[in-house]
Amino acid sequence: MSLHTQYLESFLRSQFYMLRMDGPLPLPHRHYIAIMAAARHQCSYLINMHVDEFLKTGGIAEWLNGLEYVPQRLKNLNEINKLLAHRPWLITKEHIQKLVKTGENNWSLPELVHAVVLLAHYHALASFVFGSGINPERDPEISNGFRLISVNNFCVCDLANDNNIENASLTGSNFGIVDSLSELEALMERMKRLQEEREDEEASQEEMTTRFEKEKKESLFVVSGDTFHSFPHSDFEDDMIITSDVSRYIEDPGFGYEDFARRGEEHLPTFRAQDYTWENHGFSLVNRLYSDIGHLLDEKFRMVYNLTYNTMATHEDVDTTMLRRALFNYVHCMFGIRYDDYDYGEVNQLLERSLKVYIKTVTCYPERTTKRMYDSYWRQFKHSEKVHVNLLLMEARMQAELLYALRAITRHLT
């Protein structure tokens, strides 16, 4: 993240606030909730970090044996952790009522909002961790099964080497630079054409709705089937063995986003963004129940949405607004969130297939992200630009989860 210092400051401010500053939840509970959230995606990097923090802040070591050792009250977060991580559209006011009205184990609303913010933050952060190659990738050829993913001999974590990473990945790669150059030119050409079309004609509301529904339906099937054609499905399933140091923190480990598409249930309800927006609804609810966190999250969302260096690979002075918006809105589209004023035809024009596969994987099943997926899209782009993509995906995901949870809390209150 330090490749994007402005963003990093904003990220650290909000994370510091939710973990360290005055708030409804005791410090050890905050770290335990972070562990529960990271465990939904088997993110051992984040789990280990917060196990340490949990103990340092006075957490009870026995809780680290698993969920059966924690107070019922924390255990009751299981359901909302699972739904938020994988199918947030299923969260209803009944889930909220259950948590705030369970007698001696009940949650106050401020505590629940604090917990929801932590869960959404760590689900999304797991996406960033896997998308940026920070979590060790399982590798059967190495004795302990883990290796740090490196980008052409430069560890992704070696941020000082950003330029070398770009050069290495361009020269050391097996695809022609010509291909990736023409890929870049074609993308810029499409951006220019869309801009001109936008000025010429306005699509009707009906047409806009149709384009969204088409994109939403297609997004369900982006990863199923042809994504992993280059290695047999059975290998892929083996990857997903969950180790006990992770599984002890979750229930129903098989629950995920994908069986929703697999079962042929194509219906993902549409959440009209206009009916419940972060700016008009979510922000004020969070601020009311958990003081300054609303401001900090708002600053972070705005920061990532507007962050630009006006460059695309080797080109300077490029307005990338259209591209950033397509990335953000595509993530929301996979969660059923629709913006009435956005033409989802743009998503199809701007996001190539390999990029859609990458976005879907990082957002919905980050633990499956591979180095090959990261390399296969926008091959001419700098490593720092791809990290920028990961920041956008992370924040879009966090905001989507929060919108569903906060809408349910609002319904519970009304």
Side-chain angles (χ1 to χ4, degrees), residues 224-244:
S224 46
D226 58 347
T227 316
F228 301 103
H229 52 76
S230 36
F231 46 90
H233 197 67
S234 57
D235 296 0
F236 173 58
E237 291 294 330
D238 294 345
D239 280 353
M240 305 313 295
I241 295 165
I242 303 181
T243 53
S244 63

Side-chain angles (χ1 to χ4, degrees), residues 100-163:
V100 296
K101 292 184 178 164
T102 44
E104 58 188 303
N105 297 314
N106 70 323
W107 288 76
S108 69
L109 277 172
E111 288 172 330
L112 186 56
V113 167
H114 193 171
V116 159
V117 167
L118 283 164
L119 291 171
H121 176 80
Y122 281 99
H123 294 151
L125 190 54
S127 283
F128 181 81
V129 165
F130 282 109
S132 305
I134 295 165
N135 207 67
E137 193 180 80
R138 289 196 74 81
D139 187 345
E141 291 168 26
I142 292 178
S143 56
N144 68 356
F146 284 111
R147 64 188 167 85
L148 259 179
I149 303 172
S150 62
V151 179
N152 294 55
N153 305 327
F154 296 99
C155 174
V156 175
C157 319
D158 187 359
L159 298 171
N161 271 329
D162 190 42
N163 295 332

Side-chain angles (χ1 to χ4, degrees), residues 302 365 384:
R302 285 173 198 272
Y365 346 83
S384 59

